[in-house]
Amino acid sequence: MKPNDGRTWIGPKTASSWGNILADPTNDLPDFTVWKPFIPQVTRDDAVHGWDSKNMADLDGAPYKYEITCGVSTAAANPGCAPPLPEQLGVLFNVIGNPMRYQAWLDDTGLLRKLDVTISMAYVREVDTNPLPGHPQGEYYAHVVFNLDQFGTPVTVTAPDDADITTARGVIRPK
């Protein structure tokens, strides 16, 4: 998805029509801080399997591999397994479904080196205590991967030029 004017950067709350709920960058789906808190909260009883997974691919420098798979749940039915969805997604979806899988790779010092999350989300009217119109229909799937390295390396962030920031209200799928 890209802005109609083809510019590279999109300012917060600029685009109002993304064409797909999960493509909207304001929903926090690809935000590492949404998914990381789940790892220390989950217990062995919350997970279906895979606390020290031998079935996961190796990652250089990360000898410890954990896979946590959760079953179908609503937030109320299984609060220990599913993390709270970020606000924007939580407004749209009220059920976490299969598959919901977390894979984490840790190094010798306990630093998280990679986090791989697969999740499905749906809205089920029957479990909504305050139903409002405008919820998505069907089940939506997301797969997000975070690779963490270069710990201790100084970070430099350069803001984009104003000319590179879109003012378009919609985005299109590039051909």
Side-chain angles (χ1 to χ4, degrees):
M1 306 296 276
K2 69 178 184 178
N4 298 341
D5 60 15
R7 294 183 188 178
T8 308
W9 292 89
I10 301 169
K13 307 212 184 297
T14 299
S16 60
S17 174
W18 285 92
N20 180 306
I21 291 163
L22 295 184
D24 185 341
T26 64
N27 68 20
D28 295 332
L29 185 72
D31 187 345
F32 176 72
T33 61
V34 168
W35 306 110
K36 181 189 174 288
F38 169 78
I39 299 298
Q41 292 171 6
V42 74
T43 69
R44 288 176 191 262
D45 292 337
D46 294 325
V48 173
H49 73 276
W51 270 87
D52 189 6
S53 182
K54 308 289 187 234
N55 300 323
M56 292 168 51
D58 289 335
L59 180 68
D60 287 343
Y64 304 103
K65 306 177 291 187
Y66 300 93
E67 181 174 25
I68 302 161
T69 305
C70 300
V72 176
S73 70
T74 65
N78 194 359
C81 199
L85 290 173
E87 182 178 352
Q88 186 74 11
L89 285 178
V91 168
L92 297 170
F93 303 105
N94 62 357
V95 173
I96 305 298
N98 277 333
M100 182 172 184
R101 186 185 74 216
Y102 287 80
Q103 292 181 317
W105 289 257
L106 282 72
D107 68 13
D108 283 326
T109 66
L111 285 174
L112 184 62
R113 296 289 308 278
K114 181 177 180 180
L115 181 63
D116 186 312
V117 180
T118 303
I119 185 172
S120 71
M121 299 162 284
Y123 172 74
V124 177
R125 185 176 183 83
E126 292 76 25
V127 299
D128 196 341
T129 57
N130 185 24
L132 299 171
H135 289 279
Q137 300 298 309
E139 192 169 11
Y140 286 72
Y141 296 89
H143 181 207
V144 291
V145 180
F146 305 95
N147 290 294
L148 307 159
D149 57 14
Q150 301 181 23
F151 293 103
T153 304
V155 176
T156 303
V157 178
T158 304
D161 292 332
D162 287 345
D164 293 331
I165 302 173
T166 188
T167 56
R169 299 295 296 157
V171 294
I172 57 173
R173 184 178 305 276
K175 295 180 181 180

Coordinates of all heavy atoms in Angstrom, one line a residue, residues 35-94:
W35 N 3.8 -6.8 21.4 CA 3.9 -8.3 21.6 C 5.0 -8.7 22.6 O 4.9 -9.8 23.1 CB 4.3 -8.9 20.2 CG 3.3 -8.4 19.1 CD1 3.5 -7.6 18.1 CD2 1.9 -8.8 19.1 NE1 2.4 -7.4 17.4 CE2 1.4 -8.1 17.9 CE3 1.1 -9.6 19.8 CZ2 0.0 -8.3 17.6 CZ3 -0.2 -9.7 19.4 CH2 -0.7 -9.1 18.3
K36 N 6.0 -8.0 22.9 CA 7.0 -8.4 23.8 C 6.5 -8.6 25.2 O 6.9 -9.6 25.8 CB 8.2 -7.3 23.8 CG 9.3 -7.8 24.8 CD 10.3 -6.6 25.0 CE 11.3 -7.0 26.0 NZ 10.8 -7.0 27.4
P37 N 5.6 -7.8 25.8 CA 5.2 -8.1 27.2 C 4.6 -9.5 27.4 O 4.6 -10.0 28.5 CB 4.2 -7.0 27.4 CG 4.5 -5.9 26.5 CD 5.1 -6.6 25.3
F38 N 4.1 -10.1 26.3 CA 3.5 -11.4 26.5 C 4.4 -12.4 27.0 O 4.1 -13.3 27.8 CB 2.9 -11.8 25.1 CG 2.4 -13.3 25.1 CD1 1.2 -13.6 25.7 CD2 3.2 -14.2 24.5 CE1 0.8 -15.0 25.7 CE2 2.8 -15.6 24.5 CZ 1.6 -15.9 25.1
I39 N 5.7 -12.4 26.5 CA 6.7 -13.5 26.8 C 6.9 -13.7 28.3 O 6.7 -14.8 28.7 CB 8.0 -13.2 26.1 CG1 7.8 -13.1 24.5 CG2 9.0 -14.2 26.4 CD1 7.3 -14.4 23.9
P40 N 7.1 -12.7 29.1 CA 7.3 -13.0 30.5 C 6.0 -13.2 31.3 O 6.0 -13.7 32.4 CB 8.0 -11.7 31.1 CG 7.6 -10.6 30.1 CD 7.5 -11.3 28.8
Q41 N 4.8 -12.9 30.7 CA 3.6 -13.1 31.4 C 3.1 -14.5 31.3 O 2.4 -15.0 32.2 CB 2.5 -12.2 30.8 CG 2.7 -10.7 31.1 CD 1.8 -9.8 30.3 OE1 0.9 -10.3 29.6 NE2 2.0 -8.5 30.3
V42 N 3.4 -15.2 30.2 CA 2.8 -16.5 30.0 C 3.4 -17.6 30.9 O 4.5 -17.5 31.3 CB 3.0 -17.0 28.5 CG1 4.4 -17.4 28.2 CG2 2.0 -18.1 28.1
T43 N 2.6 -18.6 31.3 CA 3.1 -19.6 32.2 C 3.0 -20.9 31.4 O 2.4 -21.0 30.3 CB 2.3 -19.8 33.4 OG1 1.0 -20.3 33.1 CG2 2.2 -18.5 34.2
R44 N 3.6 -22.0 31.9 CA 3.6 -23.3 31.2 C 2.1 -23.8 31.1 O 1.8 -24.4 30.1 CB 4.4 -24.3 31.9 CG 5.9 -24.1 31.8 CD 6.6 -25.1 32.7 NE 8.0 -24.7 32.7 CZ 9.0 -25.2 32.0 NH1 8.7 -26.2 31.1 NH2 10.2 -24.8 32.1
D45 N 1.3 -23.5 32.0 CA -0.1 -23.9 32.0 C -0.9 -23.2 30.9 O -1.9 -23.7 30.4 CB -0.8 -23.7 33.3 CG -0.2 -24.6 34.4 OD1 0.3 -25.7 34.0 OD2 -0.3 -24.3 35.6
D46 N -0.5 -22.0 30.6 CA -1.2 -21.2 29.5 C -0.8 -21.7 28.1 O -1.6 -21.6 27.2 CB -0.8 -19.7 29.6 CG -1.3 -19.0 30.9 OD1 -2.4 -19.4 31.3 OD2 -0.6 -18.1 31.3
A47 N 0.3 -22.2 28.0 CA 0.8 -22.7 26.6 C 0.4 -24.1 26.4 O 0.3 -24.9 27.2 CB 2.3 -22.5 26.5
V48 N 0.1 -24.4 25.1 CA -0.3 -25.7 24.7 C 1.0 -26.6 24.6 O 1.0 -27.8 25.0 CB -1.0 -25.7 23.3 CG1 -1.3 -27.1 22.8 CG2 -2.3 -24.9 23.5
H49 N 2.1 -26.1 24.1 CA 3.3 -26.9 23.9 C 4.5 -26.0 23.6 O 4.4 -24.8 23.4 CB 3.1 -28.0 22.8 CG 3.2 -27.4 21.4 ND1 2.1 -26.8 20.8 CD2 4.2 -27.2 20.6 CE1 2.4 -26.4 19.7 NE2 3.7 -26.6 19.5
G50 N 5.7 -26.6 23.7 CA 6.9 -26.0 23.1 C 7.7 -25.1 24.0 O 8.2 -24.1 23.5
W51 N 7.9 -25.4 25.2 CA 8.7 -24.5 26.0 C 10.1 -24.5 25.6 O 10.8 -23.4 25.7 CB 8.5 -24.8 27.5 CG 7.4 -24.0 28.1 CD1 6.1 -24.3 28.1 CD2 7.4 -22.7 28.6 NE1 5.3 -23.3 28.5 CE2 6.1 -22.3 28.9 CE3 8.4 -21.8 28.8 CZ2 5.8 -21.0 29.4 CZ3 8.1 -20.5 29.3 CH2 6.8 -20.2 29.6
D52 N 10.7 -25.5 25.2 CA 12.1 -25.5 24.8 C 12.1 -26.3 23.5 O 12.3 -27.5 23.4 CB 13.0 -26.2 25.8 CG 14.5 -26.0 25.4 OD1 14.8 -25.3 24.5 OD2 15.3 -26.6 26.1
S53 N 11.7 -25.6 22.4 CA 11.4 -26.2 21.1 C 12.6 -26.7 20.4 O 13.5 -25.9 20.1 CB 10.6 -25.3 20.3 OG 10.2 -26.0 19.1
K54 N 12.7 -27.9 20.0 CA 13.8 -28.5 19.2 C 13.3 -28.4 17.7 O 14.1 -28.7 16.8 CB 14.0 -30.0 19.5 CG 14.3 -30.2 21.0 CD 15.7 -29.6 21.4 CE 16.0 -30.0 22.8 NZ 16.3 -29.0 23.7
N55 N 12.1 -28.1 17.5 CA 11.5 -28.1 16.1 C 11.7 -26.7 15.4 O 11.5 -26.6 14.2 CB 10.1 -28.4 16.1 CG 9.8 -29.8 16.7 OD1 10.6 -30.7 16.5 ND2 8.7 -29.9 17.4
M56 N 12.2 -25.7 16.1 CA 12.4 -24.4 15.5 C 13.7 -24.3 14.8 O 14.7 -25.0 15.2 CB 12.2 -23.3 16.6 CG 10.9 -23.2 17.1 SD 10.8 -22.1 18.6 CE 11.6 -20.7 18.1
A57 N 13.8 -23.4 13.8 CA 15.1 -23.2 13.2 C 16.1 -22.6 14.1 O 15.7 -21.8 15.0 CB 14.9 -22.3 12.0
D58 N 17.4 -22.9 13.9 CA 18.4 -22.3 14.8 C 18.6 -20.8 14.3 O 18.4 -20.5 13.2 CB 19.7 -23.1 14.6 CG 19.7 -24.4 15.3 OD1 18.8 -24.6 16.2 OD2 20.4 -25.3 14.9
L59 N 19.1 -20.0 15.3 CA 19.5 -18.7 15.0 C 20.9 -18.4 15.6 O 21.0 -18.6 16.8 CB 18.4 -17.7 15.6 CG 18.7 -16.2 15.4 CD1 18.6 -15.8 13.9 CD2 17.7 -15.4 16.3
D60 N 21.8 -18.0 14.8 CA 23.2 -17.8 15.3 C 23.1 -16.8 16.5 O 22.5 -15.8 16.5 CB 24.1 -17.2 14.2 CG 24.5 -18.2 13.2 OD1 24.3 -19.4 13.4 OD2 24.9 -17.8 12.1
G61 N 23.8 -17.2 17.6 CA 23.9 -16.4 18.8 C 22.7 -16.5 19.7 O 22.7 -15.7 20.7
A62 N 21.8 -17.3 19.4 CA 20.6 -17.4 20.2 C 20.3 -18.9 20.4 O 19.4 -19.5 19.8 CB 19.4 -16.7 19.5
P63 N 20.9 -19.5 21.4 CA 20.8 -21.0 21.6 C 19.5 -21.4 22.3 O 19.1 -22.6 22.3 CB 22.0 -21.3 22.5 CG 22.3 -20.1 23.3 CD 22.0 -18.9 22.3
Y64 N 18.7 -20.5 22.9 CA 17.5 -20.8 23.6 C 16.3 -20.5 22.7 O 16.1 -19.3 22.3 CB 17.4 -20.1 24.9 CG 18.6 -20.4 25.8 CD1 19.7 -19.5 25.9 CD2 18.8 -21.7 26.4 CE1 20.8 -19.8 26.6 CE2 19.9 -22.0 27.1 CZ 20.9 -21.0 27.3 OH 22.0 -21.3 28.0
K65 N 15.4 -21.5 22.4 CA 14.3 -21.3 21.5 C 13.0 -21.8 22.3 O 13.0 -22.9 22.8 CB 14.5 -22.1 20.3 CG 15.8 -21.9 19.5 CD 16.0 -22.8 18.3 CE 16.2 -24.2 18.7 NZ 16.5 -25.1 17.6
Y66 N 12.0 -20.9 22.2 CA 10.8 -21.2 22.9 C 9.6 -21.0 21.9 O 9.6 -20.0 21.2 CB 10.6 -20.4 24.1 CG 11.7 -20.5 25.1 CD1 12.8 -19.7 25.1 CD2 11.6 -21.5 26.1 CE1 13.8 -19.8 26.0 CE2 12.7 -21.7 27.0 CZ 13.8 -20.9 26.9 OH 14.8 -21.0 27.8
E67 N 8.7 -22.0 21.9 CA 7.5 -21.8 21.1 C 6.3 -22.0 22.0 O 6.2 -22.9 22.8 CB 7.5 -22.9 20.0 CG 6.3 -22.8 19.1 CD 6.3 -23.8 17.9 OE1 7.0 -24.8 18.0 OE2 5.7 -23.5 16.9
I68 N 5.4 -21.0 21.9 CA 4.2 -21.1 22.7 C 3.0 -21.0 21.8 O 2.9 -20.1 20.9 CB 4.1 -19.9 23.7 CG1 5.4 -19.9 24.6 CG2 2.9 -19.9 24.5 CD1 5.7 -18.6 25.2
T69 N 2.1 -22.0 21.8 CA 0.9 -22.0 21.0 C -0.3 -22.0 21.9 O -0.5 -22.8 22.8 CB 0.9 -23.3 20.1 OG1 2.1 -23.4 19.4 CG2 -0.3 -23.3 19.2
C70 N -1.2 -21.0 21.6 CA -2.4 -20.8 22.4 C -3.6 -21.3 21.6 O -3.7 -21.1 20.3 CB -2.6 -19.4 22.7 SG -1.2 -18.7 23.7
G71 N -4.6 -21.8 22.3 CA -5.9 -22.2 21.6 C -6.8 -21.0 21.4 O -6.5 -19.9 21.7
V72 N -8.0 -21.3 20.9 CA -9.0 -20.3 20.6 C -9.5 -19.8 21.9 O -9.7 -20.5 22.9 CB -10.2 -20.9 19.8 CG1 -11.3 -19.9 19.6 CG2 -9.7 -21.4 18.5
S73 N -9.6 -18.5 22.0 CA -10.1 -17.9 23.3 C -10.6 -16.5 23.0 O -10.4 -15.8 22.1 CB -8.9 -17.8 24.3 OG -8.0 -16.8 23.8
T74 N -11.4 -16.1 24.0 CA -11.7 -14.6 24.1 C -10.9 -14.1 25.2 O -10.3 -14.9 26.0 CB -13.2 -14.4 24.5 OG1 -13.5 -14.9 25.8 CG2 -14.2 -15.0 23.5
A75 N -10.7 -12.8 25.2 CA -9.8 -12.3 26.3 C -10.3 -12.7 27.7 O -9.5 -12.9 28.6 CB -9.8 -10.7 26.1
A76 N -11.6 -12.7 27.9 CA -12.1 -13.1 29.2 C -11.9 -14.6 29.5 O -11.7 -14.9 30.6 CB -13.6 -12.7 29.3
A77 N -12.0 -15.4 28.5 CA -11.9 -16.9 28.7 C -10.5 -17.3 29.0 O -10.3 -18.3 29.7 CB -12.5 -17.6 27.5
N78 N -9.5 -16.7 28.4 CA -8.1 -17.1 28.6 C -7.2 -16.0 28.6 O -6.4 -15.7 27.7 CB -7.8 -18.0 27.3 CG -6.5 -18.8 27.5 OD1 -5.9 -18.7 28.6 ND2 -6.1 -19.6 26.6
P79 N -7.2 -15.2 29.7 CA -6.4 -13.9 29.8 C -4.9 -14.2 29.9 O -4.2 -13.3 29.6 CB -7.0 -13.3 31.1 CG -7.5 -14.4 31.9 CD -8.0 -15.4 30.9
G80 N -4.5 -15.4 30.3 CA -3.1 -15.6 30.5 C -2.4 -15.9 29.2 O -1.2 -15.7 29.1
C81 N -3.1 -16.3 28.2 CA -2.4 -16.7 26.9 C -2.4 -15.5 25.9 O -1.3 -15.2 25.4 CB -3.1 -17.9 26.3 SG -2.1 -18.7 25.1
A82 N -3.5 -15.0 25.6 CA -3.5 -13.9 24.6 C -3.1 -12.6 25.3 O -3.7 -12.2 26.3 CB -4.8 -13.8 24.0
P83 N -2.2 -11.8 24.7 CA -1.9 -10.5 25.3 C -3.1 -9.5 25.0 O -3.9 -9.8 24.0 CB -0.7 -10.0 24.5 CG -0.8 -10.7 23.2 CD -1.5 -12.0 23.5
P84 N -3.2 -8.5 25.7 CA -4.3 -7.5 25.3 C -3.9 -7.0 23.9 O -2.8 -6.7 23.7 CB -4.2 -6.4 26.4 CG -3.3 -7.0 27.5 CD -2.5 -8.1 26.9
L85 N -4.9 -6.9 23.1 CA -4.6 -6.3 21.8 C -4.4 -4.8 21.9 O -5.0 -4.2 22.8 CB -5.8 -6.5 20.8 CG -6.0 -8.0 20.4 CD1 -7.3 -8.1 19.6 CD2 -4.8 -8.5 19.6
P86 N -3.6 -4.2 21.1 CA -3.5 -2.7 21.2 C -4.9 -2.1 20.9 O -5.8 -2.7 20.4 CB -2.5 -2.4 20.0 CG -2.4 -3.6 19.2 CD -2.9 -4.8 20.0
E87 N -5.0 -0.8 21.4 CA -6.3 -0.2 21.4 C -7.0 -0.3 20.1 O -8.2 -0.6 20.0 CB -6.2 1.2 21.9 CG -7.5 1.9 22.0 CD -7.4 3.4 22.5 OE1 -6.3 3.8 22.9 OE2 -8.4 4.1 22.5
Q88 N -6.4 0.1 19.0 CA -7.0 0.2 17.7 C -7.5 -1.2 17.3 O -8.7 -1.3 16.8 CB -6.0 0.7 16.7 CG -6.6 0.9 15.3 CD -7.5 2.2 15.2 OE1 -7.6 2.9 16.2 NE2 -8.3 2.3 14.2
L89 N -6.7 -2.3 17.5 CA -7.2 -3.6 17.1 C -8.2 -4.1 18.1 O -9.2 -4.8 17.7 CB -6.0 -4.6 17.1 CG -5.0 -4.5 15.9 CD1 -3.9 -5.5 16.1 CD2 -5.8 -4.8 14.6
G90 N -8.1 -3.8 19.4 CA -9.1 -4.2 20.4 C -10.5 -3.7 20.2 O -11.4 -4.3 20.5
V91 N -10.6 -2.5 19.5 CA -11.9 -2.0 19.2 C -12.5 -2.8 18.1 O -13.7 -2.9 18.0 CB -11.7 -0.5 18.7 CG1 -13.0 0.0 18.1 CG2 -11.3 0.4 19.9
L92 N -11.7 -3.3 17.2 CA -12.2 -4.0 16.0 C -12.5 -5.5 16.2 O -13.4 -6.1 15.7 CB -11.2 -3.9 14.8 CG -10.9 -2.5 14.3 CD1 -9.8 -2.5 13.3 CD2 -12.2 -2.0 13.6
F93 N -11.6 -6.2 17.0 CA -11.7 -7.6 17.2 C -11.8 -8.0 18.7 O -11.2 -7.3 19.6 CB -10.4 -8.3 16.7 CG -10.1 -8.0 15.3 CD1 -9.1 -7.1 14.9 CD2 -10.8 -8.6 14.3 CE1 -8.8 -6.8 13.6 CE2 -10.6 -8.3 12.9 CZ -9.6 -7.4 12.6
N94 N -12.6 -9.0 19.0 CA -12.8 -9.4 20.4 C -12.5 -10.8 20.6 O -12.7 -11.3 21.7 CB -14.2 -9.0 20.9 CG -15.3 -9.8 20.1 OD1 -15.0 -10.5 19.1 ND2 -16.6 -9.6 20.5

